[in-house]
Amino acid sequence: MTDVLGWRKVLAVIAPSTNTIVQPDMEAMRPIGVTNHYRDIYVEDPLALSDASFTEGTTRIGQGMQDCLRTAITCKPDYIVLGVSAISFAGGLAGAREFASGLSEFTGKDVSVGSLSTAAALEAYGGIRRIAFVSPYYPVANAQVKRFFEDCGFEVVRDVPLRCRTWTDIAQVTEARLLEVLRQLDGDDVDAIVQVGTNLSMVRLAAQAELWLGKPVIAINTATYWHALRQCGIHDRMESFGKLLRDH
């Protein structure tokens, strides 16, 4: 028997309860015959983040992960898509692999996580070695992101932590502000620009920026959903979300 709407694949999409971007982003990229089933990790919105409280908050998200996954797997998904960014970068490449492996072991399903998916996207473009990235995080978390990409063999030339004050504030960062940051990150010494932080809305802006910057601009939600589709054997080519979903 096959799910009548998800006759190609049924995907469980996991994100924090404060996240308002992952669900619409991934629904917009969903091909026919694939269904997304959003399940959230309960998390309180902090009043004011800092290096210390950001780390504490991401720890709490990690602690709530298993309860969320227990709910997610009751719909018998074919695959898990993790719309949580910061904790997937912790501990560098080894930490990311251990994290993804632990999720797969717990659920019995293969999983796409943001860190490994973004690295795979960079490799798919080919010829990328020097990158810059933007995040909604604080410097302590950006250091983990930088460590991960360096472990993967990329040189991180520049990065910008936006230091959003709450989890929900991340979704309020405007395109105008992100355009400023893209110009700040770009340069002849950068082969590609990456955006991390799944509650930061950038899938469409990244696709547009590729045209006027003339180089890859990869949004983490695009990379994660692309990776999940390709791992599931779905190779539909889609417009409006950049070269990654169109050409790779």
Side-chain angles (χ1 to χ4, degrees):
M1 299 293 289
T2 302
D3 190 285
V4 295
L5 295 182
W7 46 270
R8 297 171 81 186
K9 291 295 175 182
V10 172
L11 307 180
V13 178
I14 310 301
S17 58
T18 50
N19 190 305
T20 58
I21 300 300
V22 163
Q23 185 174 9
D25 269 2
M26 295 190 179
E27 192 63 17
M29 294 183 281
R30 180 179 62 84
I32 188 169
V34 175
T35 55
N36 298 333
H37 303 278
Y38 187 84
R39 302 291 185 264
D40 54 17
I41 304 162
Y42 176 77
V43 59
E44 301 244 349
D45 200 25
L47 294 176
L49 288 168
S50 63
D51 265 335
S53 62
F54 187 96
T55 301
E56 180 184 356
T58 55
T59 298
R60 289 178 180 175
I61 291 172
Q63 290 170 344
M65 184 79 70
Q66 287 194 353
D67 286 342
C68 177
L69 289 170
R70 284 190 186 95
T71 300
I73 60 178
T74 61
C75 74
K76 298 183 179 178
D78 298 301
Y79 199 87
I80 307 290
V81 187
L82 193 70
V84 185
S85 179
I87 58 177
S88 78
F89 288 98
L93 179 57
R97 286 173 172 166
E98 182 179 356
F99 176 66
S101 176
L103 296 178
S104 292
E105 183 177 346
F106 182 76
T107 61
K109 304 292 179 181
D110 289 333
V111 180
S112 287
V113 302
S115 54
L116 297 172
S117 297
T118 305
L122 288 166
E123 293 292 352
Y125 274 90
I128 296 172
R129 282 296 166 256
R130 300 169 301 171
I131 67 170
F133 73 87
V134 56
S135 84
Y137 308 152
Y138 281 70
V140 65
N142 269 32
Q144 292 293 323
V145 177
K146 182 178 180 181
R147 174 185 173 185
F148 170 83
F149 283 123
E150 289 177 343
D151 284 353
C152 292
F154 301 102
E155 177 187 351
V156 178
V157 178
R158 280 181 292 282
D159 67 279
V160 173
L162 293 176
R163 294 180 170 90
C164 292
R165 298 296 289 167
T166 69
W167 298 135
T168 52
D169 277 356
I170 296 171
Q172 298 171 19
V173 177
T174 65
E175 282 197 354
R177 174 65 179 125
L178 290 171
L179 282 169
E180 292 176 359
V181 174
L182 285 172
R183 294 187 180 101
Q184 181 180 347
L185 291 172
D186 190 33
D188 293 339
D189 55 347
V190 170
D191 301 320
I193 296 174
V194 173
Q195 171 259 316
V196 302
T198 62
N199 205 27
L200 194 61
S201 180
M202 203 167 147
V203 296
R204 290 177 177 82
L205 178 60
Q208 296 163 9
E210 285 190 329
L211 299 176
W212 51 266
L213 289 177
K215 64 184 61 175
V217 181
I218 300 172
I220 194 166
N221 287 345
T222 304
T224 306
Y225 201 72
W226 162 84
H227 186 264
L229 291 176
R230 300 302 183 254
Q231 292 299 302
C232 288
I234 296 171
H235 295 275
D236 297 36
R237 306 301 183 180
M238 300 181 191
E239 299 292 337
S240 305
F241 299 103
K243 291 183 66 176
L244 187 63
L245 272 171
R246 189 187 69 216
D247 299 339
H248 297 287

